Amino acid sequence: MKIRELYRLPPDKQRDLNYLIRLEWWNLAFRISIVSILALVLGNSQAMKVAWLEDMLSLIPPIAFLLAVRFRKRPPNQTYPYGYQRATIIAFLCTATALSAMGLFLLGDSLLKLVQQEHPSIGAITLFGETIWMGWLMVGVLIYSVIPPVIIGHLQTKAAAKVHEKTVFADGKRSKADWMTGLAAIVGVLGVGAGFWWADAVAAAIIALDVTKDGITNLKEAIGDLLDRRPHFTSQDKPEHLEEALEAELCAMPWVAAASVRLREEGPIFSGEAFVTPHSNDDLARHLKQASRHLNNYDWRIYEVVVTAWPNEEHSLSPANANPT
Amino acid sequence: MQSKDSFIQFVFSHKRPSILIVFAVLVLAGCRYPVNIERPIADMHGGELNIGLSENPPWVINTDQGPAGLEVEIVRALAEKMNATINWHWGSEGNLLAALSQYQLDLVIGGLTQDSNVSALAAPTKAYYQSHYSVGVPEGISLPSNLEGVEVAVPVINHIAHALKKEGAIPRPTPDLGTHNEAVTNPSWWLHAHNYQIGDWEIATDHHVMALPKGENAWMLAVQRHLNSYPDIEQRLQHLEAGR
């Protein structure tokens, strides 16, 4: 059996990844602190409940990423000859499913509260001998809950784009936008204090809608990866035209008459096949191996491109790829 | 992302004046924050308070001279502070809570404790007092070293028999508690009132609350502040129990 070699990041990218891992540990620590503090002041507010559950869900992406990174280090073996790179996609799919399901549930729950015209009670709390309205405390905690995610979110998206870590990039994008859900919850709590019973449930529904939207966007992305969609770079919606670049590389080799390439994503990295029509069969095996090595070193994101030779008549190449002799 | 961008635009550029007005209203309202959703708190000050009460000594006692008991005293003091008159409405706990949920009452009392029945229909206050159940013996008898196999008298109707069995004791439902020379499980204020020596077992704890209509957040703040500053609840309970 031919088992793949272990994928190794170039040293500078490995440094970037190590930084990202450290960042995710910080992210996790802040998220846990937010969830614990919010839990203390939940009260009866639906908006607070939804904001809290959203923050609970936001624990999953860093945990999933940190687990996946650990898992990915294992070398490919007899049982898993293709290696463990796709562990990240599994983590991504889990996160997206949890987000979508929870978002829909919370949306239904909030709309039900709206239909039932439930009047939220936000009680009082005694702090240092003074009894104050709990709403003030909730607002304070909500303000705390949005500041670290916004800062970490900015760092995350930058660092994740460098090493093409989609899960973290998506999480960072969510964190950057997190202040809006925090603001919605604050408006909801203050609205209840001002005597508008619906403010709380409406704010909760808006947050739930946002969670659902994020979930579905990520779900699409994860399914795309699992269906071997052509690679998209982290920060872009359009496909990366890496295939064309590789075809040009192959066509530039003197022994190649025509070439075509297809790629797929395996977590943060790309693999695929190249089909080459040679001018002659001289030294073909060696040429193929060299071509494969060349392509694998062309870009750090490329894990393994297998190069195979195809006879001319069977090669349905576009004219652009033809290399006339 | 587009919807979020348009939201930001909405907040920061398009509707700036209206957002400022909203904040101004909130700041002005801040002086009287929070407000009630159904009945304005200004209505209650100097007005009438509709209080539902169900008998449950020593918290609420029905006497010939009208309602008495710890919670009745607490509510009377609150009404006095607010310059309000009280309309008392006797009823069963279930009926009173249902009426409360329809905003026919302002408050329900009757020795209510934190449980899901109350919070389903009403907004309970935070616990203003905790009754700690322990085992005590009359003076002259020594406390058992442990409860394993010890017979302990409990009220005929009680909710602590299970907890007592877990400690290994044998609960014996007894009418006329406190008239025999035997170990008794009851709240510490009861044991103190009957001059019992109290062991350091914690059999159970009741968290005492009052029930308010949901969403009446200004009223809740007023009641909670009053409860938190109400003095000497334990002594008052002992006094009420001893006087029975």
Side-chain angles (χ1 to χ4, degrees):
Chain A
M1 188 192 271
K2 171 77 180 150
I3 297 166
R4 270 181 175 182
E5 279 172 35
L6 179 63
Y7 174 79
R8 285 182 207 286
L9 277 169
D12 58 323
K13 292 292 172 188
Q14 185 63 50
R15 270 197 299 280
D16 289 340
L17 183 65
N18 291 344
Y19 167 72
L20 190 63
I21 292 171
R22 275 202 307 281
L23 195 61
E24 284 299 272
W25 277 112
W26 278 108
N27 186 20
L28 190 59
F30 271 112
R31 293 284 187 184
I32 289 173
S33 81
I34 290 170
V35 168
S36 338
I37 297 174
L38 274 179
L40 296 178
V41 296
L42 276 189
N44 236 330
S45 156
Q46 174 76 1
M48 284 295 283
K49 190 176 100 183
V50 176
W52 182 60
L53 283 169
E54 192 209 11
D55 283 321
M56 287 270 256
L57 284 177
S58 71
L59 293 179
I60 306 176
I63 294 174
F65 169 74
L66 290 169
L67 280 178
V69 169
R70 215 153 257 254
F71 214 64
R72 252 168 30 194
K73 277 194 211 147
R74 296 188 187 181
N77 52 42
Q78 289 280 340
T79 323
Y80 295 97
Y82 288 97
Y84 294 88
Q85 292 297 328
R86 287 189 173 209
T88 330
I89 304 181
I90 299 173
F92 198 36
L93 185 69
C94 291
T95 315
T97 312
L99 274 177
S100 319
M102 192 56 119
L104 282 176
F105 166 75
L106 291 174
L107 184 61
D109 195 35
S110 306
L111 292 179
L112 194 68
K113 294 243 150 107
L114 211 51
V115 171
Q116 290 171 338
Q117 306 204 353
E118 186 147 316
H119 291 19
S121 301
I122 300 176
I125 191 167
T126 307
L127 279 181
F128 312 113
E130 191 70 31
T131 303
I132 58 162
W133 186 51
M134 183 91 134
W136 299 127
L137 204 62
M138 291 178 171
V139 170
V141 171
L142 282 168
I143 290 173
Y144 168 69
S145 84
V146 300
I147 295 171
V150 168
I151 297 170
I152 292 179
H154 271 100
L155 300 175
Q156 269 178 315
T157 44
K158 260 193 242 155
K162 278 190 195 158
V163 281
H164 189 52
E165 288 291 348
K166 248 181 219 188
T167 51
V168 182
F169 189 80
D171 183 39
K173 244 169 45 176
R174 258 171 55 68
S175 301
K176 278 204 285 188
D178 207 37
W179 65 270
M180 268 176 289
T181 61
L183 183 75
I186 290 173
V187 171
V189 169
L190 290 179
V192 168
F196 307 111
W197 63 267
W198 44 263
D200 183 50
V202 168
I206 291 174
I207 303 171
L209 207 60
D210 184 59
V211 174
T212 315
K213 202 202 82 188
D214 282 333
I216 289 173
T217 314
N218 288 1
L219 206 53
K220 270 197 215 154
E221 196 67 22
I223 289 171
D225 283 359
L226 285 173
L227 286 179
D228 286 346
R229 186 188 55 179
R230 65 184 295 193
H232 288 51
F233 197 55
T234 334
S235 45
Q236 276 134 31
D237 294 333
K238 295 259 168 58
E240 173 108 343
H241 289 277
L242 201 56
E243 294 92 341
E244 284 82 343
L246 294 186
E247 282 164 4
E249 283 295 310
L250 286 169
C251 289
M253 293 175 187
W255 60 274
V256 174
S260 58
V261 172
R262 68 173 173 234
L263 292 177
R264 63 176 184 275
E265 281 182 73
E266 291 183 15
I269 52 182
F270 307 148
S271 289
E273 296 83 27
F275 302 92
V276 177
T277 305
H279 287 302
S280 78
N281 285 350
D282 296 345
D283 238 357
L284 186 58
R286 197 171 54 83
H287 280 314
L288 289 177
K289 175 134 199 232
Q290 270 172 356
S292 183
R293 188 170 295 160
H294 179 72
L295 293 188
N296 292 354
N297 290 327
Y298 174 75
D299 188 301
W300 66 271
R301 284 167 295 169
I302 294 175
Y303 183 5
E304 184 190 59
V305 177
V306 177
V307 184
T308 47
W310 280 51
N312 202 13
E313 58 271 21
E314 284 180 37
H315 206 159
S316 59
L317 291 174
S318 55
N321 293 332
N323 200 5
T325 39
Chain B
M1 278 321 281
Q2 206 180 358
S3 64
K4 274 177 191 162
D5 290 341
S6 57
F7 178 74
I8 297 172
Q9 224 173 23
F10 167 77
V11 173
F12 287 110
S13 62
H14 265 305
K15 307 268 178 172
R16 185 169 285 179
S18 66
I19 289 287
L20 279 181
I21 290 168
V22 169
F23 274 113
V25 168
L26 286 177
V27 168
L28 284 177
C31 320
R32 296 183 174 280
Y33 222 81
V35 305
N36 284 345
I37 291 173
E38 289 294 328
R39 186 180 173 195
I41 191 93
D43 227 37
M44 298 176 158
H45 282 284
E48 291 181 345
L49 295 178
N50 287 303
I51 311 293
L53 68 178
S54 67
E55 186 161 22
N56 185 356
W59 315 96
V60 173
I61 309 166
N62 196 352
T63 70
D64 297 340
Q65 289 83 44
L70 176 79
E71 292 187 346
V72 171
E73 289 169 13
I74 294 177
V75 171
R76 280 209 174 105
L78 176 62
E80 199 173 315
K81 251 196 228 169
M82 295 176 72
N83 224 353
T85 51
I86 300 176
N87 299 326
W88 300 107
H89 305 276
W90 291 95
S92 72
E93 189 183 309
N95 283 346
L96 292 172
L97 288 175
L100 186 77
S101 74
Q102 295 174 23
Y103 301 95
Q104 297 161 16
L105 293 170
D106 296 310
L107 189 70
V108 170
I109 57 175
L112 300 177
T113 52
Q114 269 175 2
D115 67 45
S116 50
N117 292 341
V118 176
S119 44
L121 289 170
T125 61
K126 288 233 156 47
Y128 69 89
Y129 178 75
Q130 296 182 0
S131 288
H132 296 288
Y133 286 77
S134 189
V135 177
V137 291
E139 272 179 2
I141 298 181
S142 59
L143 276 166
S145 57
N146 69 69
L147 293 178
E148 200 63 48
V150 176
E151 274 203 3
V152 179
V154 291
V156 177
I157 303 300
N158 68 75
H159 59 282
I160 49 174
H162 276 293
L164 210 50
K165 276 183 196 157
K166 262 192 202 157
E167 296 281 333
I170 303 159
R172 200 159 49 74
T174 313
D176 305 326
L177 273 187
T179 53
H180 314 282
N181 266 348
E182 60 193 350
V184 170
T185 295
N186 243 347
S188 56
W189 47 264
W190 188 97
L191 297 168
H192 276 300
H194 292 262
N195 289 321
Y196 276 51
Q197 300 179 66
I198 302 178
D200 42 8
W201 300 284
E202 290 218 14
I203 306 298
T205 305
D206 282 348
H207 299 265
H208 291 276
V209 299
M210 296 184 180
L212 275 70
K214 286 185 178 177
E216 302 298 77
N217 295 317
W219 175 226
M220 174 66 91
L221 187 58
V223 172
Q224 194 72 59
R225 278 192 175 138
H226 179 67
L227 290 176
N228 289 354
S229 64
Y230 200 83
D232 305 329
I233 291 178
E234 171 97 22
Q235 282 87 326
R236 203 48 214 134
L237 283 168
Q238 287 177 33
H239 188 76
L240 283 164
E241 179 58 34
R244 286 215 297 148

